[in-house]
Amino acid sequence: MTENLGLQLEQHLPTALLKIIRMAGEIAQERGEKLYLVGGTVRDLLLGRANLDIDIVVEGDAPLLANLLAQKTGGKAVVHPRFGTAKLRTPEVSLDIATARTETYPYPGALPNIRPSSIEEDLSRRDFTINTMAIQLNPDSFGELIDLHNGRDDLENHLIRILHRNSFVDDATRILRALRYEQRLGFQLEPDTKKLLCCDASMLKPLSGDRIRHEVELVLKEKEPEKVLCRADELGVLGRIYPALSNNTQMIERLKQARSQIPSISLVLSFALITYHFTPKEGDEFIIRLNLPSAKAGAIEDMLELKHRLGELDYPDILPSRIYLLLKNYSLHAVRACALAHESALVRGYLQLYLDELRFITTSLNGVDLQQMGVPAGPHLGNLLRNLLEAKLDQRVSTMEEEESLMQQWLKEIET
Ligand code: ATP
């Protein structure tokens, strides 16, 4: 007997979303098309987990459906007719609509060729059984579950299972996707899936930098990324992304520690932390391998250079100005990464002092004030201001009056 999840939809989806989904089902029905809720929302609905990342598939024309829905709801549809996809945004909801499609891979690791097809074929191209379930949205069958690959059983048995033996060869990004779901949901890789995943891990090699970076970013955005990294290492996957990532429990511990201190850790910082143990050469190779954009690449390069200079700070009672002068030339991400990862507690303390206090300290006097005191514009004025800032950092002056009198003293010394 087919299971009906209409009630769960009503209980778990916000009213505005439910209204639009029903409306979409009605429009599709009028047009003689079939509409389905698919993917992660169905999986998470059955698990009782919130997921408002709504994916809808239509056996018909997704861009047209999105445009009709936009007209009816006053929302905005962004359509990609070439791919048969659309995104609908209303003030309250956002959802992706796609035309049911089949994918064929011209060669392993290639982006697939796409053609419109049925919901059955659309579900058969998906990654894991737990992601192949769909819920009908047409009014005459609203809420009926379609489960062609026994996703419901695997969900109950906590298993991540691919649909066919060539799955990881066709698309090696599924290797990291499998590990993400396994760790996020506390599931297990089904034994054959696990065997194939390990066998096919080498297929990560031919993936383009952009595709592999996207997957690594998704791992780093997980709630507990270190669990995924740990499992990926255990199964020989990490080294296939980049060799120096493998076999490093410290790296995984570092990320875990950092997350306990900064719960919403940024991607740039995460990248810096997982590469903290790299040599500069490894850093450069990793940046090329993942085709990292400049902000992330710069943070890694900066951090690896700074790490080698931090011995200069590993002494008690270092002057704050010395800390400031070393760190001011490095990006904040680099300093933050070192403040979390450096082995010396003393150095970590200095880095934190810079992040929390020193970098915000400024002098009360500025260039105009100095000119009014008779200093001509030019490099000399710049030097005086720098010296004044150092005096302030080292607490030799604190008030404006103290700054003025120190400056007067310096100017007098120059005159004589
Ligand atoms: P998440 O909670 O991680 O967003 P999700 O299941 O919604 O999970 P998406 O990455 O948004 O994941 O993908 C939506 C759906 O598209 C998946 O549920 C899956 O069915 C399918 N899918 C995504 N990537 C692939 C892939 N590489 N191969 C096959 N199917 C995929």
Side-chain angles (χ1 to χ4, degrees):
M1 211 189 79
T2 44
E3 190 174 357
N4 193 299
L5 298 171
L7 206 62
Q8 280 94 322
L9 284 176
E10 282 180 13
Q11 280 168 351
H12 287 91
L13 298 188
T15 321
L17 189 56
L18 199 63
K19 197 171 151 202
I20 291 202
I21 284 176
R22 280 191 184 279
M23 199 185 282
E26 280 157 21
I27 297 175
Q29 179 119 333
E30 279 162 24
R31 294 178 40 76
E33 296 175 344
K34 287 229 154 218
L35 193 72
Y36 307 88
L37 182 65
V38 295
T41 329
V42 180
R43 175 196 71 221
D44 289 341
L45 189 76
L46 288 163
L47 288 172
R49 291 168 73 103
N51 182 346
L52 297 181
D53 208 351
I54 302 292
D55 285 314
I56 283 178
V57 163
V58 61
E59 284 176 316
D61 188 339
L64 186 68
L65 177 67
N67 280 329
L68 291 171
L69 260 178
Q71 277 169 20
K72 260 200 152 164
T73 57
K76 191 169 159 29
V78 179
V79 300
H80 303 283
R82 219 160 70 86
F83 299 105
T85 59
K87 190 168 200 86
L88 176 78
R89 279 210 176 85
T90 74
E92 291 135 326
V93 306
S94 149
L95 45 94
D96 288 306
I97 309 178
T99 299
R101 64 181 197 253
T102 342
E103 289 178 351
T104 47
Y105 292 84
Y107 57 88
L111 288 173
N113 292 327
I114 292 167
R115 67 173 169 73
S117 69
S118 62
I119 186 72
E120 288 79 10
E121 286 192 286
D122 188 288
L123 297 176
S124 306
R125 74 175 168 83
R126 288 172 186 263
D127 45 7
F128 311 112
T129 56
I130 57 166
N131 287 341
T132 60
M133 290 174 284
I135 298 177
Q136 304 210 39
L137 297 178
N138 290 49
D140 60 2
S141 47
F142 190 84
E144 279 178 21
L145 179 70
I146 298 180
D147 180 13
L148 306 173
H149 301 274
N150 297 326
R152 188 79 158 108
D153 284 348
D154 283 341
L155 206 60
E156 251 148 47
N157 296 320
H158 293 185
L159 289 175
I160 307 294
R161 185 196 304 265
I162 44 175
L163 305 195
H164 58 89
R165 300 186 64 78
N166 240 15
S167 186
F168 293 129
V169 176
D170 281 349
D171 180 354
T173 64
R174 293 172 185 161
I175 291 174
L176 286 171
R177 291 180 65 84
L179 303 181
R180 279 200 292 120
Y181 290 124
E182 186 196 38
Q183 295 307 308
R184 185 201 300 169
L185 302 174
F187 282 20
Q188 289 286 314
L189 295 174
E190 171 279 326
D192 276 342
T193 298
K194 181 172 160 191
K195 234 184 263 160
L196 287 164
L197 184 148
C198 296
C199 256
D200 296 338
S202 61
M203 298 310 294
L204 285 164
K205 272 235 159 123
L207 279 190
S208 72
D210 287 343
R211 291 189 75 198
I212 196 108
R213 182 187 67 249
H214 180 65
E215 293 307 318
V216 172
E217 287 182 355
L218 290 176
V219 169
L220 295 175
K221 283 184 191 164
E222 285 289 320
K223 210 162 151 223
E224 295 178 294
E226 61 281 353
K227 280 189 174 176
V228 186
L229 293 175
C230 193
R231 181 69 160 150
D233 204 17
E234 187 187 312
L235 298 179
V237 168
L238 267 195
R240 303 290 187 169
I241 296 171
Y242 183 69
L245 286 176
S246 68
N247 249 325
N248 195 302
T249 45
Q250 268 184 350
M251 176 261 278
I252 288 170
E253 200 43 45
R254 200 183 299 135
L255 190 63
K256 189 173 172 187
Q257 278 263 333
R259 271 198 329 94
S260 69
Q261 291 175 45
I262 312 171
S264 55
I265 195 164
S266 71
L267 260 186
V268 186
L269 192 52
S270 298
F271 269 113
L273 287 168
I274 62 169
T275 55
Y276 184 79
H277 60 287
F278 283 13
T279 62
K281 182 169 171 273
E282 287 168 342
D284 290 343
E285 286 175 358
F286 181 76
I287 288 166
I288 293 171
R289 171 66 187 111
L290 268 66
N291 194 23
L292 285 180
S294 56
K296 288 165 189 147
I300 293 177
E301 285 164 343
D302 245 22
M303 181 262 308
L304 293 177
E305 191 190 305
L306 174 61
K307 184 180 76 171
H308 282 289
R309 295 198 57 191
L310 287 176
E312 295 174 32
L313 297 185
D314 205 1
Y315 301 98
D317 303 322
I318 289 235
L319 283 177
S321 59
R322 174 111 188 259
I323 302 171
Y324 178 90
L325 289 177
L326 174 65
L327 301 182
K328 77 179 170 72
N329 298 317
Y330 292 95
S331 75
L332 282 179
H333 293 300
V335 180
R336 282 200 185 102
C338 292
L340 289 161
H342 197 269
E343 57 276 10
S344 154
L346 186 66
V347 172
R348 288 201 304 275
Y350 289 148
L351 296 174
Q352 206 54 51
L353 177 70
Y354 172 81
L355 289 169
D356 294 342
E357 295 175 30
L358 301 182
R359 70 189 172 103
F360 298 112
I361 292 177
T362 53
T363 54
S364 306
L365 295 184
N366 59 26
V368 178
D369 297 325
L370 260 63
Q371 284 182 37
Q372 280 170 2
M373 292 168 82
V375 183
H380 178 54
L381 185 146
N383 286 338
L384 281 172
L385 274 176
R386 256 189 302 281
N387 291 344
L388 189 62
L389 178 61
E390 284 176 35
K392 184 127 184 207
L393 286 162
D394 296 340
Q395 297 182 341
R396 284 183 278 131
V397 291
S398 55
T399 63
M400 175 126 166
E401 291 70 34
E402 285 170 349
E403 284 185 27
E404 277 169 354
S405 76
L406 183 63
M407 192 53 72
Q408 298 289 6
Q409 189 189 320
W410 284 345
L411 293 176
K412 243 187 241 149
E413 283 169 13
I414 294 164
E415 275 168 26
T416 54

